[in-house]
Amino acid sequence: DAEITQSPRHKITETGRQVTLACHQTWNHNNMFWYRQDLGHGLRLIHYSYGVHDTNKGEVSDGYSVSRSNTEDLPLTLESAASSQTSVYFCASRDTGQATDTQYFGPGTRLTVL
Amino acid sequence: QQQVKQSPQSLIVQKGGISIINCAYENTAFDYFPWYQQFPGKGPALLIAIRPDVSEKKEGRFTISFNKSAKQFSLHIMDSQPGDSATYFCAASIYGNQFYFGTGTSLTVIP
């Protein structure tokens, strides 16, 4: 079955280190998204991509970057991790069509920055 | 600035009761309004969605009511069950592009 996976599921890192979170989907969806989830804020969009070599900033993109070299993967990089980036990160891909604009979410990565 | 405002933050309902969660938005360009359900340790999953050309959509025990003039939409869960206990998020998007989420409602259904 097609799916969307994230790795690692849990990560502890130190302030200032570079961290990359992986996201892989097997639906062949062109649109992919990265969100962070924090209590009291819901889900906030970090970056999104509409296809290979396309990346766009979301509402909370500072300190994060993404690259899209193929359809299946959209890795999220924290260039220099900060304690404010401690959060749960969700990757999503989007099925488009007239009847549905469904986003399918991965299981999430819990990141702790010490 | 929160593009989509959701209330209440938490909700406790007796089994068999009706759960109602409300959302409001400002941007009239939004054209897609989904609701997501999230269980602890899992990613959100689409529950039901509506477009602004209809005022109501029903799928089983879940109904979205949409009031375009008031820029509000709500989720109604009829005959609430303990298995419905989860966090619910409303969202809005333009052409299915950038999605803006509400802050979530934690629903607890008491047996």
Side-chain angles (χ1 to χ4, degrees), chain A residues 62-83:
Chain A
D62 288 348
Y64 303 94
S65 63
V66 293
S67 62
R68 188 92 179 268
S69 60
N70 58 55
T71 301
E72 296 80 15
D73 299 289
L74 185 70
L76 176 71
T77 297
L78 287 67
E79 293 134 12
S80 178
S83 57

Side-chain angles (χ1 to χ4, degrees), chain B residues 43-60:
Chain B
L46 180 68
L47 186 62
I48 187 172
I50 198 168
R51 295 192 185 277
D53 53 345
V54 297
S55 60
E56 185 175 283
K57 183 174 182 180
K58 183 176 181 179
E59 291 184 0

Side-chain angles (χ1 to χ4, degrees), chain A residues 37 48 50 94 101-103, chain B residues 38 51 89 95-97 99:
Chain A
Q37 184 174 32
Y48 57 103
Y50 292 150
R94 176 175 158 238
D101 277 319
T102 304
Q103 281 190 93
Chain B
Q38 184 180 28
R51 295 192 185 277
F89 293 95
Y95 303 126
N97 292 332
F99 281 74

Side-chain angles (χ1 to χ4, degrees), chain A residues 37 39-40, chain B residues 6-13 19-22 35-40 75 77 84-90 102-110:
Chain A
Q37 184 174 32
L39 198 63
Chain B
Q6 183 173 347
S7 63
Q9 184 175 351
S10 62
L11 183 61
I12 299 174
V13 174
S19 303
I20 302 174
I21 305 170
N22 301 298
W35 283 90
Y36 285 83
Q37 181 187 55
Q38 184 180 28
F39 293 105
L75 175 69
I77 305 175
D84 297 330
S85 297
T87 300
Y88 293 81
F89 293 95
C90 61
T103 51
T105 296
S106 176
L107 172 65
T108 302
V109 181
I110 301 172

Side-chain angles (χ1 to χ4, degrees), chain A residues 98, chain B residues 30-33 49-56 66 68:
Chain A
Q98 198 166 8
Chain B
F30 288 141
D31 64 352
Y32 181 65
F33 300 88
I50 198 168
R51 295 192 185 277
D53 53 345
V54 297
S55 60
E56 185 175 283
F66 186 81
K68 190 173 182 177

